[in-house]
Amino acid sequence: MWRRRCIQGGCGLLNKLKKFYENIKNINKSVNNYQNDTIIQSLPTVAYVNKAKKLIEGKDYNGAVQILMSAIDISDKDPLVFKYLGKISEIKRNFKDAYTYYEKSASLNPNDKEIWLRLGMSYLYSDILDKAIHCFELADRLAPLNTDVQTGWGMAYMKQKKYALAKDKFNFAAQISKYNFTAILLSAVMEMRLEEYAIAEEKLKFLVKVAPNEGSLYEYSHLKLLQNKFDEAETYANKVLSLNKFMLPAYFILGEIYSIKKDYEKTQENFEIAQDNGLQSINLYFEWGKGLMRLLKFEEAKEKFRKVLDLDAENNDAKIGLALIFAYQNDFNLLRELKEKNLGNVYIQEAVGLEMLSYNDCENAIEMFKKALSTDRNQTYNYFHLATAYAQINSQYKAREYFDKFIQNNGQYAQGYIDYAQWLINVSDFEEAKRKLKKALKLEPDNIRGLNMMFFTQYTLVKKNICEYNIREAISVADKALELGKFDYIPQKQELEHMLANFQGN
């Protein structure tokens, strides 16, 4: 417009403006040259970073990324640009991108007191633990007595299973800030791992009073479970679920408690509630299977382990569970694939003991069953295996001891009483066999094997001490077995009927 007027009116003002414009261009050219020659160009990107910070505060992360990427077009030498890109990635839990951006920021400004903490946490969540620890060390040099640095450092040690070192870091973090409840909680967890239950209890008791959230309540419940205080563990697990019904580990604690207490109905109900709440997962079905194993419901446990494998065909835990169930059936093929790398697993230890027992290697089998019990005292089927092994080497005292321990721990398992009674019959202790069979038939009145054994036991006792009442009792057992379709002692029943007729004739 100015140029058109000048041409039309011959205005002399244009020449002055042209000169002024040329001066501005020269200045801009000088600035551009300065930018190209300068290593750190922070000033041109400050406005972008500030705008991105406001967008991050408003949770407009995509908008903030766009702004920060525009800043990189101006300069890729501003550490704050990469730092905030890292923060956005960390918020989005994209930790690989987070540590990539933080690495760039740290290389541009290694004296940033926060960057090493953030980089360490991103490595931590990416399971790059050695690098995480190195970053926490650098962060500690720049910002000593930082409770967050010590907490992150402890978490890295915890992931490395260096529990004593982790505990020291968490304790130090809590000393720096008495309000760092996360550090207090994690130090208690480490003490539980180290079996320092009394110290852990002090901290957890404090936390459930001042910060009764699902985390502190869950760990307190877990501690009570480890201490075999099942009622208290159940109470606190239920408190967790009252706060958050989707807290899956709380269902695991309840499932373990109910299965240890041999409460099949409550165990099933607990896991069904978790399933109905949409918590179907590999871990849910595996823990469910474990509960059923404690309850000696082996076929049902097999179904749960197979369900795990439907979700993850290579799941090692489910394969180990199945290997034990197959070992109960004298099938050791899967065990042979797994045992070399899993000898610390209680199921593998039990299955290896069964394999040894199948080869009549009773002494080593006994040691393996005892090892399994030391690994998990609640895997009580090992008492039965020990009784069987001692019976094979004719150690009657030990066999009786472990049969007793087995039924003490599994008082609702009819088959346990029946197997115990069979051994008692084999060693001619018919009176005790009768007592065990009565308990079995009270649990399962139609158990055909139990009925046949009860008749044989009573028949043997009648032969030793003829009594009309005992004869009638034995015949009634035989009649019930016949009703169910399988009775093995027809001649003996007929003999007793003749004896009864003689009593009545007299």
Side-chain angles (χ1 to χ4, degrees):
M1 180 179 175
W2 280 99
R3 186 178 178 190
R4 187 163 57 249
R5 287 181 182 175
C6 185
I7 292 171
Q8 292 172 353
C11 178
L13 184 59
L14 179 59
N15 292 329
K16 292 180 180 180
L17 289 173
K18 280 183 69 177
K19 188 173 183 180
F20 181 70
Y21 178 68
E22 292 296 330
N23 287 338
I24 291 174
K25 283 179 66 178
N26 290 333
I27 291 170
N28 287 341
K29 185 176 180 182
S30 298
V31 169
N32 289 335
N33 290 337
Y34 171 77
Q35 289 176 344
N36 290 332
D37 294 337
T38 304
I39 295 174
I40 299 176
Q41 304 159 18
S42 58
L43 284 176
T45 57
V46 168
Y48 288 85
V49 171
N50 289 335
K51 187 172 182 180
K53 285 167 67 176
K54 290 181 180 179
L55 291 172
I56 292 169
E57 289 170 3
K59 298 185 178 180
D60 182 3
Y61 303 123
N62 292 334
V65 168
Q66 289 179 358
I67 293 294
L68 293 167
M69 287 300 181
S70 297
I72 291 175
D73 291 337
I74 295 172
S75 169
D76 63 353
K77 303 298 182 184
D78 188 338
L80 287 177
V81 172
F82 294 102
K83 181 176 179 178
Y84 282 100
L85 283 168
K87 286 193 174 190
I88 294 167
S89 297
E90 193 176 357
I91 289 167
K92 291 182 173 182
R93 304 189 68 79
N94 186 345
F95 297 113
K96 183 176 180 181
D97 284 351
Y99 71 67
T100 301
Y101 287 127
Y102 285 144
E103 285 172 346
K104 180 70 173 174
S105 181
S107 70
L108 292 168
N109 182 14
N111 295 316
D112 183 331
K113 291 185 177 181
E114 184 189 17
I115 194 65
W116 296 110
L117 169 60
R118 300 274 37 100
L119 181 54
M121 294 304 293
S122 297
Y123 281 141
L124 173 68
Y125 292 128
S126 303
D127 288 323
I128 307 174
L129 301 179
D130 288 337
K131 283 190 175 183
I133 289 169
H134 179 64
C135 287
F136 294 130
E137 290 171 350
L138 293 173
D140 186 50
R141 291 176 200 168
L142 287 172
L145 302 179
N146 183 304
T147 190
D148 293 329
V149 170
Q150 300 300 320
T151 303
W153 204 340
M155 290 169 72
Y157 281 136
M158 180 175 69
K159 280 196 167 190
Q160 290 183 330
K161 299 186 178 181
K162 298 177 180 177
Y163 300 132
L165 290 173
K167 182 188 76 168
D168 290 343
K169 293 299 178 186
F170 293 138
N171 282 337
F172 190 28
Q175 288 171 17
I176 295 168
S177 172
K178 64 182 180 180
Y179 299 107
N180 188 339
F181 295 146
T182 298
I184 297 171
L185 178 63
L186 290 174
S187 68
V189 172
M190 293 303 94
E191 284 150 1
M192 288 160 64
R193 296 282 176 86
L194 296 166
E195 299 184 6
E196 299 171 357
Y197 296 144
I199 303 171
E201 176 142 18
E202 289 180 16
K203 292 175 180 176
L204 291 171
K205 191 180 288 186
F206 164 74
L207 287 174
V208 297
K209 288 181 180 178
V210 302
N213 57 36
E214 60 193 58
S216 59
L217 290 167
Y218 168 77
E219 293 300 344
Y220 200 37
S221 174
H222 187 205
L223 175 63
K224 293 302 177 184
L225 177 62
L226 293 172
Q227 294 173 321
N228 293 326
K229 297 177 180 178
F230 300 128
D231 291 339
E232 290 180 74
E234 181 182 356
T235 297
Y236 283 99
N238 280 318
K239 286 184 179 181
V240 173
L241 294 175
S242 70
L243 294 175
N244 180 4
K245 68 178 182 178
F246 302 110
M247 182 75 165
L248 185 56
Y251 291 101
F252 297 163
I253 285 181
L254 289 173
E256 186 167 348
I257 292 166
Y258 297 143
S259 60
I260 288 170
K261 288 183 173 182
K262 308 302 176 184
D263 192 327
Y264 174 76
E265 287 74 18
K266 278 193 172 183
T267 301
Q268 290 292 87
E269 181 185 9
N270 170 71
F271 287 116
E272 285 167 1
I273 290 171
Q275 184 176 248
D276 292 343
N277 284 334
L279 299 175
Q280 301 96 327
S281 65
I282 288 168
N283 290 335
L284 173 64
Y285 293 118
F286 178 67
E287 292 296 328
W288 199 338
K290 283 172 62 180
L292 290 164
M293 291 289 281
R294 293 187 199 97
L295 291 160
L296 311 179
K297 301 286 187 180
F298 303 125
E299 286 302 312
E300 292 179 55
K302 186 193 293 186
E303 290 177 14
K304 300 307 176 190
F305 293 144
R306 288 197 184 282
K307 198 151 191 172
V308 172
L309 293 175
D310 288 341
L311 297 172
D312 175 11
E314 298 304 317
N315 187 276
N316 196 58
D317 291 333
K319 287 181 180 180
I320 287 171
L322 288 174
L324 177 55
I325 294 171
F326 294 153
Y328 294 150
Q329 301 162 351
N330 288 320
D331 178 353
F332 304 106
N333 291 318
L334 185 55
L335 170 66
R336 288 167 191 145
E337 294 177 21
L338 297 168
K339 65 182 177 181
E340 184 177 347
K341 294 182 179 179
N342 299 282
L343 278 174
N345 184 284
V346 65
Y347 287 176
I348 294 295
Q349 291 165 354
E350 183 176 346
V352 169
L354 288 169
E355 185 180 30
M356 291 171 172
L357 199 59
S358 73
Y359 298 143
N360 292 317
D361 185 1
C362 296
E363 295 295 339
N364 284 321
I366 286 167
E367 291 307 309
M368 192 57 70
F369 296 138
K370 288 181 177 179
K371 185 175 182 179
L373 280 167
S374 69
T375 301
D376 183 354
R377 61 185 176 273
N378 294 312
Q379 192 61 16
T380 56
Y381 207 35
N382 285 288
Y383 290 128
F384 177 82
H385 303 323
L386 282 165
T388 303
Y390 279 117
Q392 285 192 22
I393 58 175
N394 296 315
S395 178
Q396 291 191 23
Y397 176 81
K398 283 291 186 181
R400 192 182 296 266
E401 175 189 348
Y402 283 106
F403 271 125
D404 283 336
K405 284 185 177 181
F406 177 67
I407 62 173
Q408 285 167 11
N409 282 276
N410 299 279
Q412 300 302 308
Y413 185 56
Q415 192 61 44
Y417 290 106
I418 291 171
D419 289 335
Y420 192 177
Q422 183 63 68
W423 177 76
L424 290 166
I425 290 169
N426 293 343
V427 297
S428 300
D429 189 347
F430 292 98
E431 288 287 355
E432 191 61 33
K434 182 179 176 181
R435 283 191 280 272
K436 298 298 182 285
L437 287 166
K438 278 187 175 180
K439 290 183 178 180
L441 292 171
K442 187 175 182 180
L443 293 168
E444 293 184 10
D446 295 337
N447 188 299
I448 194 66
R449 183 183 173 213
L451 288 167
N452 275 280
M453 288 172 61
M454 177 62 91
F455 174 81
F456 179 75
T457 300
Q458 291 178 320
Y459 168 80
T460 304
L461 291 171
V462 165
K463 297 283 286 185
K464 290 182 178 181
N465 182 20
I466 297 174
C467 166
E468 182 178 356
Y469 174 81
N470 290 340
I471 293 171
R472 289 182 181 278
E473 190 177 31
I475 291 172
S476 70
V477 171
D479 288 339
K480 183 165 186 179
L482 280 167
E483 287 176 14
L484 295 172
K486 191 177 188 304
F487 180 60
D488 300 332
Y489 300 99
I490 296 294
Q492 290 84 353
K493 178 177 184 289
Q494 292 172 345
E495 182 183 350
L496 292 182
E497 287 171 338
H498 287 304
M499 291 172 66
L500 182 61
N502 289 334
F503 268 108
Q504 291 172 339
N506 293 331

